[in-house]
Every structure is written in structure tokens, then in C-alpha cells.
Amino acid sequence: MKYITINEEFDWRMKIFNSLPFPSLILTPEKVIISANQAFLEKKKTDLNNVVGKTCHQIFYDTEKPCAEAICPFYKVIAEKKPQSILRRTEFNGDEEVWVDRMFSPILDDRGDVKFIMESVRDASRVITLEKRSIHIRQFLDKVIQSSPNAIITADRNGNLLLMNQAAERLFGYSMEEAIRTKNAEDFYPFGKAREIMKKLKNKNFGGEGTLTATRVDVVNEAGEVIPVEMTANLIYEGDKEVASTGIFYDLREKIAAEKKLKEILIQVAQSEKMASLGQLAAGVAHEINNPLTGILLYGNLALERVENDENPVRRYLKSVIDDAERCRDIVKNLLAYSRQASPTKEIFQVNSLIEHSLNLIRDQELLLNITVVKEMSDEMMLIHADKNQLSQVIINLVMNAADAMEKKGALTFRTYRKKPLKKVYIEVSDTGCGISEEHLSKIFDPFFTTKETGKGTGLGLSTSYGIIKENGGQISIKDTSNRGTTFLIELPLYTPDEKQSVLQNN
Ligand SMILES: Nc1ncnc2c1ncn2[C@@H]1O[C@H](COP(=O)(O)OP(=O)(O)OP(=O)(O)O)[C@@H](O)[C@H]1O
Ligand SMILES: [Mg+2]
């Protein structure tokens, strides 16, 4: 068969073909090359004579065998008379892969049949590399998002979830698949809150339009638990169009717990310091008052003996003087206990026996008549090494306070238990009284702090108790208080057999 070779005659078409920047060939439908442009010859470092008359598989793959129909676009170009292309990795150039995009365009004759096919080879390595890099970046970003310790969720404009990282799965308790299938972003917040957050996000006053700076909110997990978090959020735009939103959540539970603990410790420290300085003062004052008081009581009683007539008003006056002086003596006694002048006499005993002993002492008190006493006491071995009389004083103080708070009717519950690994014994005293207001909470262990009317309370009960418990190696605190009642918690060191032995030996 004879073909016209375009390059043999001066032809403007030939000029266009030659000036194409991509290596290009013109082939017959039988895949025989009839021309190659300048770019092709330069790329292949050959001349036209070595190319013309050969087939494309000879030139590209150095084989006599045509490529399989399934992968060669030639057949489709002829059948559909439309351009086709294939992407091929042709070689490795060092580390770099070389990819080419081979475009096949039909050249039709006057009848509309495919007469020739022009093949252009374009280097696609750059595009492929960029694509690979973008996949790599996407995978890398995915890893960054997944490894964030903060929970991240992204949702479209209607709240349909698009992404959830592992921390979000842990925080909310759903797998990403499950959440995408069954949840809307609104479900992650208490009712109505998601809308509020969206409003803030669109308002420029909370970090600029489309941004929400760190804000404290609540979220709801799979179990319906409300979890405090700090959240930041962003709207994601494509051009001007808002397409999605992303929220980043920092779980505040641990932080809040740590802050609470720290506050408790600071209160304890402040309390101890206050007690120490007030203790010294109290001891001094008590000491100074004790002597004149002894005189007052002595001479008061002597004077009383002299006034024999019961009708004499002086007798009444003297009795008042003596009553008040005795009250002062009690206060001084309490002050001395508080200032730890009285040193404890320690013994080993069961905690439950302490409760029984204390209750026995006040059993007949009028103020306990309408109070139901509940005992939830563990029958485990709970020995302590402490001053039983002092501790009884603490229990009685608590009972008296509880009775006052309940206005003499209600339930008084004693709970005892131990935590062996911590080597601790616990006594809880709960009442169903009025509770302690927030403003009084930090003061109730202060000496002379009382809310009771003059004559009814000196405000020394709890401060003395505090001193006694400290003296015996423990702690006293308020476990819980509300208008439904108050629970005091006493913590004491558990006595273990080894220590018991050593103490017995020491005695
Ligand atoms: N169980 C309780 N429920 C409610 N408030 C309490 C309770 N226990 C103590 N309080 C409050 O703490 C204050 C201080 O108690 P504290 O025992 O130290 O003094 P007091 O009872 O007022 O006087 P005192 O015990 O010296 O007679 C009380 O006045 C009361 O306001
Ligand atoms: Mg009291």
C-alpha cells in the first residue's frame, strides 16, 4: 500500500503539525506511522526515516505484537470516530515515575471515515505527582486530625455528620460510621443548644464571623451524660458559600475535678493556718480568763451561802452571776480543748463502738426525742487508735448541730466504712436539716462562728471538733449539703495489726 508522506511536500498543515509542542505521530488505522513531528523526533533522539513505516508498538514497546484490544484506544477511535486517551507509566527516571498521557484523535476523510489517527504524547508526570502528593497530604491531614487529643467533628450545613476523629468517638461514645448513619450534630448538645452555638458562630462578636473562640458549653454523650467541654468552632466556606462547620472540643471533666481538689486543699490549708494562729490566741485568752473566773465562782458561791433567805432578790442575782460564770468556764474549757492544750489519751477501739458510746451519753436529751437514728455501719474490722472521749465530743457536737438544723425532728444517719488500701476509716453523719448556705460554708469551722442566737451557741463546736480530729490524725469536712440536709465526713487512720503490735509493745 502506498501512502502520501506529508513531510515530502511543502504543506502548511505540515508546519502546524511540526510546531506542536507535544511529541506527535500520524498513523494509519493499521497503526503504521506515516509521520512524526519535530518534538517527537527530538524526544526519541531519532530521525524521520527510522520512524516512518514502523508500527506504534514497534516504536513504543519494541515488539511485533500489537497491544491487546482492551487497552489500545485505537479500536475505539475508529469505531466511535472520537478522540480517546490513555494514561501510561512508561519508565522510572531514578526515583521519579514517568507518566504519559497518550491522546488519539481521528482525522476523517471526505466520507467521514477515519483515514488517519494523530497520536500526541503529553508528559503527565507532573499532574500525577501532584495528585499523589495531594493524596499524601490528605492522608497526612487525616492522621493529624485522628491523632488530636481533642475531639473534632465536622458537619454539613444541615448538621449531617461528615467526620469525627477518634477522640470524638471516645467523647461522644459513637463510632464515626454509627454517628454518620444515625445522628445529627444537634444530638450532641442539650436541647436547643446547637442553634445557640450556630448563632454565635455567625455573629461577629464571638471571635469574628464564622469563628467561635474558646467557649464553655455542655455536650451530651451516647449515655445521655452531660459533659462540660471547652469548644472552638469554625464555618467552612467554598468561595462565599458556607458548606460545613467544624467543632473542636476539649473535655473539661478532669480539669474541673483537679480544680475542685485544689480548692479543697487550699481551703484546708487556709483553715489549718487560721486554726493555728487562733489556737494560740485562744490558749492565751483562756488562760488569762481562767484565774479571774475561778475567783468569781468561788466568791459568788461564798456570797450565795451568806444570803439564806430564798425570797431575797440578791440570791437570784447571785445565781445568775454564777450561771453565767459557769457558762464562761465551759467556753474556756472548750477553748482549751480547741487550742489543744489538753493532750489526747489514745486507745485502740472499734469505730462503731465510738458511735454507740457517744449516743449513749446523749440518749436522754430532750432534743433527740423526735429524731430517728439510722445506723448503716459496716461490720468490718475498723480499729482506730485515738482519744475516745475527745472523739465522742466531736460526734456529740455533730449530733447537736444536726438536731438544731432539723429543729429537733428528722432523721440522723450514721454510716461507717473503711477503705483498706487507703488505710482509712470513715464516719458520716447526715441529717435532714436546713443545710448550710454557700456563704457560710467557708466559715463554719472558724471559732466563734455561729448562726444561732446569743446564748444558744458559742460557735466553738465545729472548730473544737476540727482541732480534735486533726489531733487524732484525721480530717473533718462537709461531704454534701443542700436544703435537704447535710453530711459531715470524718476520716481517720485505720489501725492495722502491725501498728497495733508496735503500739502494744510501746505501752
Ligand atoms: N448539721 C448542720 N446543719 C446546718 N448548719 C450547721 C450544721 N452544723 C453546723 N452548722 C452551722 O455551723 C455553725 C457553727 O457550728 P458550731 O457547732 O461550730 O457552732 P454552734 O453550733 O453555732 O455553737 P456551739 O456548737 O458552740 O454551741 C452553726 O451555727 C450552724 O450555722
Ligand atoms: Mg454546735
Side-chain angles (χ1 to χ4, degrees), residues 401-402 405 431 435-436 444 449-452 457-462 486 488:
N401 284 348
D431 61 54
I436 303 166
I444 56 158
F449 174 77
T450 180
T451 55
K452 292 167 193 170
T458 55
L460 278 174
L462 283 181
T486 304
F488 277 86

Side-chain angles (χ1 to χ4, degrees), residues 175-414:
S175 71
M176 182 162 100
E177 285 73 31
E178 191 189 354
I180 286 178
R181 219 170 2 92
T182 61
K183 295 286 143 196
N184 186 285
E186 273 189 10
D187 301 333
F188 289 158
Y189 303 91
F191 183 73
K193 288 288 170 198
R195 270 161 213 274
E196 271 178 35
I197 291 168
M198 252 353 223
K199 267 193 197 156
K200 281 189 180 169
L201 196 48
K202 289 179 181 172
N203 187 319
K204 58 181 185 315
N205 296 328
F206 298 93
E209 208 174 320
T211 302
L212 178 65
T213 46
T215 305
R216 163 84 167 75
V217 296
D218 285 334
V219 294
V220 180
N221 72 3
E222 189 247 348
E225 241 179 295
V226 174
I227 302 170
V229 295
E230 189 173 85
M231 142 175 221
T232 57
N234 278 95
L235 287 178
I236 298 170
Y237 297 94
E238 262 174 29
D240 285 346
K241 213 170 128 218
E242 172 200 320
V243 288
S245 60
T246 287
I248 303 179
F249 306 84
Y250 172 55
D251 188 343
L252 289 176
R253 280 176 295 184
E254 267 184 31
K255 196 175 162 209
I256 288 174
E259 278 171 1
K260 193 170 161 224
K261 189 94 206 141
L262 182 68
K263 209 168 147 192
E264 278 170 17
I265 291 171
L266 288 177
I267 288 175
Q268 288 271 358
V269 170
Q271 189 67 32
S272 304
E273 282 173 1
K274 215 158 37 178
M275 299 302 263
S277 55
L278 279 166
Q280 278 176 350
L281 183 71
V285 173
H287 189 75
E288 287 303 314
I289 290 176
N290 227 359
N291 293 340
L293 259 186
T294 316
I296 292 171
L297 277 171
L298 178 69
Y299 290 111
N301 277 309
L302 283 177
L304 193 62
E305 278 173 20
R306 295 280 172 97
V307 187
E308 276 164 10
N309 182 359
D310 275 355
E311 302 305 313
N312 192 338
V314 176
R315 197 174 161 82
R316 230 176 41 245
Y317 302 151
L318 280 172
K319 272 203 154 156
S320 289
V321 169
I322 292 167
D323 280 355
D324 281 349
E326 276 174 346
R327 213 161 69 80
C328 288
R329 194 186 50 195
D330 288 347
I331 295 174
V332 166
K333 221 164 75 193
N334 279 343
L335 270 177
L336 284 173
Y338 161 71
S339 62
R340 301 171 210 168
Q341 290 293 301
S343 53
T345 319
K346 294 192 175 181
E347 57 184 306
I348 298 159
F349 56 94
Q350 266 281 8
V351 157
N352 291 353
S353 76
L354 167 71
I355 310 291
E356 300 297 349
H357 173 75
S358 312
L359 285 177
N360 269 336
L361 290 176
I362 48 170
R363 198 178 33 196
D364 300 326
Q365 295 269 333
E366 177 264 336
L367 97 164
L368 295 177
L369 284 183
N370 292 319
I371 290 176
T372 319
V373 175
V374 183
K375 292 179 203 158
E376 294 173 2
M377 310 212 276
S378 160
D379 48 17
E380 284 171 305
M381 188 74 158
M382 291 183 297
L383 288 180
I384 53 173
H385 181 224
D387 185 320
K388 197 169 184 178
N389 287 332
Q390 280 192 339
L391 289 190
S392 284
Q393 200 186 328
V394 173
I395 301 294
I396 291 168
N397 276 335
L398 294 182
V399 172
M400 295 300 192
N401 284 348
D404 284 341
M406 294 191 283
E407 292 176 352
K408 301 183 190 172
K409 52 180 185 295
L412 181 66
T413 307
F414 293 93

Side-chain angles (χ1 to χ4, degrees), residues 14 62 65 121 123 142 144 148 191 237 293 309 344 400 505:
M14 182 58 204
D62 198 20
K65 218 171 126 206
V121 182
D123 185 354
D142 197 48
V144 171
S148 161
F191 183 73
Y237 297 94
L293 259 186
N309 182 359
M400 295 300 192
Q505 275 160 12

